[in-house]
Amino acid sequence: MNIREDFMRPRSDRENAARRVAILDVAEALVLETHNQRFSINNVASRLGVSQSTIFLHFRNREELLTTLYTRVGKNFFETFLSRVHEGMSDKAFCEAFIDTAVEFPGFRLMRPMIMRVVEESLNQDYIHDAVKEIYLYRTAAADKVEELLKLEPGQGRRLVKSFVNLMCGAVQADIGKLLATEKLDEDVTDGVRSFDFRDAFLSGAELLMIGIRHS
Amino acid sequence: MAIREDFQRARTDREKETRRVEILDAAEALLLQSGNERFAVSAIAANVGVSKSTVFLYFGNKEEMLLAIYERAFIRAFTQLGETLTPGMSGRAFCEAFIDSMINFPAMLMLRAQLARTIERNVALESMVSTKQRIFSTGQAVAEKMDRDMDLESGSGMRMLMALVNLTAGAVQADSLPYVDANALPEDIADLLHTVSIRNIFMSGAELIFCGATGRPFD
């Protein structure tokens, strides 16, 4: 390959890996700040203080960067959640561990609604297939661990985790901060919308899911 | 008010209501076609055959219009659901009626994702509060009918409805997965992707929610 030496900047594998992580860190920070993924490669490069071509040494395009980041935030989310649950904990504490992890690690729930556009744009790229496989593997591993932990019937762990993720991502949309700050609502309406609070809305539905899975 | 006569174009209330509905219809059509809410107000005006300023006579800004589309889709979806309820219907029949009514009026779920972060920050407080109150009473009427028709403990219908709406809103996000080229995937992942559709994901969780809320079997 005929790459100019200043672009190559010989690096050890370890240095390369660290650079890759630094790029993903910046991209994640941009998602968390803007709540969208409309940043450019140039935004990432300038914040990191490298050239755009350096980014392209690690990721072929913006789609590959976003897919890799989505895989990473999802993995972080599930690993953190699993590290907080243990055998013998109550179902309520289990649900709380899930939603508290979602509150503390928002990258996963922020990117989930947006990532499909990226997937659709890059259907035939191998990195999409790699990402789908990796996501599938760590999610099923997490779900199987949940199944064991909660002593569920085979297959029910995956079913429960999938429903938890959907319930959580739906509940987060119903943020009612502005509405509750007003005093123009009748009391029963206020009580009604208050239960739309992200955490409470999730826990209310999650309790039903847990009772349901215990009886199925 | 000193509005020039050619702008006022004396209309009856009924004519105004018709015009408002035309604008909402055009905007909703653009939303559904493009799959997002980033269309221009001028595109709506062109489709209705009026000027942009006419559009702004009916809606203070684009977010007011989006909120009105959301409210209309919400009320239509829940009205349909309420009409489908029959005394003694099974959990499965109810959950299928629920997801049908959500899928029939997709503007609701599409805009729900934008509500808190963009739409509600850009509309007048009065619009938001009155919209919430109308939406809440529509939902509450359906919830109370559920309590009666399905013979539930008072309040169970509302709790179940909220959980089902959230579950659906999350399931919608994952719906595009089947587009991944199944031939290029190992078999077990391909199997997984085939089961991924809003309806299947929804029904799997909805059964748990129904059984959890009622303690009854699904069928």
Tab-separated table of all heavy atoms in Angstrom, chain B residues 106-125:
chain	number	residue	atom	x	y	z
B	106	PRO	N	-50.402	5.382	12.436
B	106	PRO	CA	-48.978	5.379	12.786
B	106	PRO	C	-48.426	6.748	13.152
B	106	PRO	O	-47.373	6.825	13.792
B	106	PRO	CB	-48.292	4.839	11.518
B	106	PRO	CG	-49.267	5.030	10.423
B	106	PRO	CD	-50.628	5.026	11.034
B	107	ALA	N	-49.146	7.821	12.778
B	107	ALA	CA	-48.627	9.158	13.098
B	107	ALA	C	-48.455	9.332	14.600
B	107	ALA	O	-47.559	10.036	15.068
B	107	ALA	CB	-49.568	10.228	12.552
B	108	MET	N	-49.288	8.662	15.374
B	108	MET	CA	-49.190	8.810	16.818
B	108	MET	C	-47.831	8.346	17.331
B	108	MET	O	-47.143	9.078	18.038
B	108	MET	CB	-50.314	8.013	17.483
B	108	MET	CG	-50.239	8.072	18.987
B	108	MET	SD	-51.061	6.651	19.738
B	108	MET	CE	-50.097	6.523	21.221
B	109	LEU	N	-47.446	7.128	16.954
B	109	LEU	CA	-46.172	6.615	17.469
B	109	LEU	C	-44.983	7.357	16.868
B	109	LEU	O	-43.976	7.573	17.524
B	109	LEU	CB	-46.052	5.117	17.183
B	109	LEU	CG	-46.977	4.243	18.033
B	109	LEU	CD1	-46.939	2.800	17.553
B	109	LEU	CD2	-46.614	4.316	19.505
B	110	MET	N	-45.112	7.770	15.596
B	110	MET	CA	-44.008	8.512	14.971
B	110	MET	C	-43.750	9.827	15.695
B	110	MET	O	-42.611	10.220	15.923
B	110	MET	CB	-44.323	8.792	13.506
B	110	MET	CG	-44.250	7.555	12.629
B	110	MET	SD	-44.838	7.894	10.959
B	110	MET	CE	-43.474	8.876	10.363
B	111	LEU	N	-44.831	10.515	16.056
B	111	LEU	CA	-44.658	11.824	16.688
B	111	LEU	C	-44.377	11.718	18.177
B	111	LEU	O	-43.757	12.600	18.761
B	111	LEU	CB	-45.889	12.694	16.438
B	111	LEU	CG	-46.036	13.130	14.982
B	111	LEU	CD1	-47.349	13.873	14.781
B	111	LEU	CD2	-44.871	14.028	14.566
B	112	ARG	N	-44.804	10.628	18.777
B	112	ARG	CA	-44.577	10.453	20.214
B	112	ARG	C	-43.088	10.555	20.531
B	112	ARG	O	-42.694	11.113	21.546
B	112	ARG	CB	-45.118	9.096	20.643
B	112	ARG	CG	-45.142	8.880	22.147
B	112	ARG	CD	-45.753	7.515	22.447
B	112	ARG	NE	-46.090	7.361	23.854
B	112	ARG	CZ	-45.306	6.750	24.731
B	112	ARG	NH1	-44.151	6.250	24.363
B	112	ARG	NH2	-45.675	6.636	25.998
B	113	ALA	N	-42.264	10.021	19.624
B	113	ALA	CA	-40.826	10.051	19.851
B	113	ALA	C	-40.288	11.484	19.890
B	113	ALA	O	-39.244	11.746	20.486
B	113	ALA	CB	-40.118	9.246	18.763
B	114	GLN	N	-41.018	12.413	19.248
B	114	GLN	CA	-40.533	13.797	19.184
B	114	GLN	C	-41.186	14.700	20.228
B	114	GLN	O	-40.821	15.863	20.360
B	114	GLN	CB	-40.844	14.404	17.798
B	114	GLN	CG	-40.435	13.561	16.644
B	114	GLN	CD	-38.944	13.322	16.642
B	114	GLN	OE1	-38.187	14.199	17.048
B	114	GLN	NE2	-38.519	12.147	16.231
B	115	LEU	N	-42.195	14.175	20.913
B	115	LEU	CA	-43.019	15.043	21.750
B	115	LEU	C	-42.221	15.816	22.785
B	115	LEU	O	-42.234	17.038	22.800
B	115	LEU	CB	-44.068	14.200	22.485
B	115	LEU	CG	-45.392	13.959	21.795
B	115	LEU	CD1	-46.303	13.229	22.756
B	115	LEU	CD2	-46.013	15.269	21.373
B	116	ALA	N	-41.542	15.073	23.643
B	116	ALA	CA	-40.944	15.731	24.799
B	116	ALA	C	-39.778	16.632	24.395
B	116	ALA	O	-39.615	17.714	24.925
B	116	ALA	CB	-40.486	14.681	25.799
B	117	ARG	N	-38.985	16.187	23.444
B	117	ARG	CA	-37.758	16.928	23.156
B	117	ARG	C	-37.961	18.109	22.217
B	117	ARG	O	-37.317	19.131	22.370
B	117	ARG	CB	-36.695	15.992	22.590
B	117	ARG	CG	-36.071	15.140	23.666
B	117	ARG	CD	-34.715	14.641	23.246
B	117	ARG	NE	-33.811	15.714	22.866
B	117	ARG	CZ	-33.135	16.461	23.737
B	117	ARG	NH1	-33.277	16.277	25.020
B	117	ARG	NH2	-32.320	17.391	23.305
B	118	THR	N	-38.828	17.978	21.238
B	118	THR	CA	-38.973	19.112	20.327
B	118	THR	C	-40.362	19.744	20.357
B	118	THR	O	-40.503	20.944	20.591
B	118	THR	CB	-38.613	18.736	18.874
B	118	THR	OG1	-39.376	17.601	18.517
B	118	THR	CG2	-37.153	18.415	18.746
B	119	ILE	N	-41.391	18.923	20.160
B	119	ILE	CA	-42.717	19.519	19.971
B	119	ILE	C	-43.150	20.321	21.195
B	119	ILE	O	-43.473	21.500	21.095
B	119	ILE	CB	-43.749	18.416	19.639
B	119	ILE	CG1	-43.352	17.726	18.324
B	119	ILE	CG2	-45.148	19.008	19.540
B	119	ILE	CD1	-44.226	16.578	17.918
B	120	GLU	N	-43.085	19.693	22.375
B	120	GLU	CA	-43.629	20.360	23.555
B	120	GLU	C	-42.815	21.581	23.976
B	120	GLU	O	-43.305	22.439	24.688
B	120	GLU	CB	-43.767	19.363	24.705
B	120	GLU	CG	-44.878	18.373	24.420
B	120	GLU	CD	-45.076	17.341	25.500
B	120	GLU	OE1	-44.286	17.331	26.463
B	120	GLU	OE2	-46.003	16.531	25.368
B	121	ARG	N	-41.594	21.646	23.524
B	121	ARG	CA	-40.789	22.817	23.894
B	121	ARG	C	-41.112	24.020	23.024
B	121	ARG	O	-40.663	25.119	23.284
B	121	ARG	CB	-39.300	22.487	23.762
B	121	ARG	CG	-38.911	21.483	24.813
B	121	ARG	CD	-37.450	21.200	24.826
B	121	ARG	NE	-37.257	20.092	25.767
B	121	ARG	CZ	-36.089	19.642	26.146
B	121	ARG	NH1	-34.990	20.197	25.684
B	121	ARG	NH2	-35.993	18.641	26.993
B	122	ASN	N	-41.847	23.790	21.945
B	122	ASN	CA	-42.080	24.872	21.000
B	122	ASN	C	-43.552	25.219	20.813
B	122	ASN	O	-43.895	25.892	19.858
B	122	ASN	CB	-41.465	24.508	19.642
B	122	ASN	CG	-39.951	24.446	19.713
B	122	ASN	OD1	-39.296	25.456	19.881
B	122	ASN	ND2	-39.401	23.246	19.637
B	123	VAL	N	-44.390	24.742	21.709
B	123	VAL	CA	-45.797	25.119	21.588
B	123	VAL	C	-46.194	25.924	22.822
B	123	VAL	O	-45.552	25.842	23.865
B	123	VAL	CB	-46.733	23.887	21.447
B	123	VAL	CG1	-46.394	23.081	20.220
B	123	VAL	CG2	-46.679	23.026	22.695
B	124	ALA	N	-47.275	26.691	22.663
B	124	ALA	CA	-47.765	27.468	23.803
B	124	ALA	C	-48.230	26.518	24.897
B	124	ALA	O	-48.768	25.447	24.610
B	124	ALA	CB	-48.917	28.357	23.349
B	125	LEU	N	-47.996	26.925	26.124
B	125	LEU	CA	-48.357	26.087	27.264
B	125	LEU	C	-49.834	25.702	27.223
B	125	LEU	O	-50.200	24.553	27.475
B	125	LEU	CB	-48.044	26.855	28.550
B	125	LEU	CG	-47.997	26.034	29.829
B	125	LEU	CD1	-46.974	24.914	29.697
B	125	LEU	CD2	-47.676	26.933	31.002
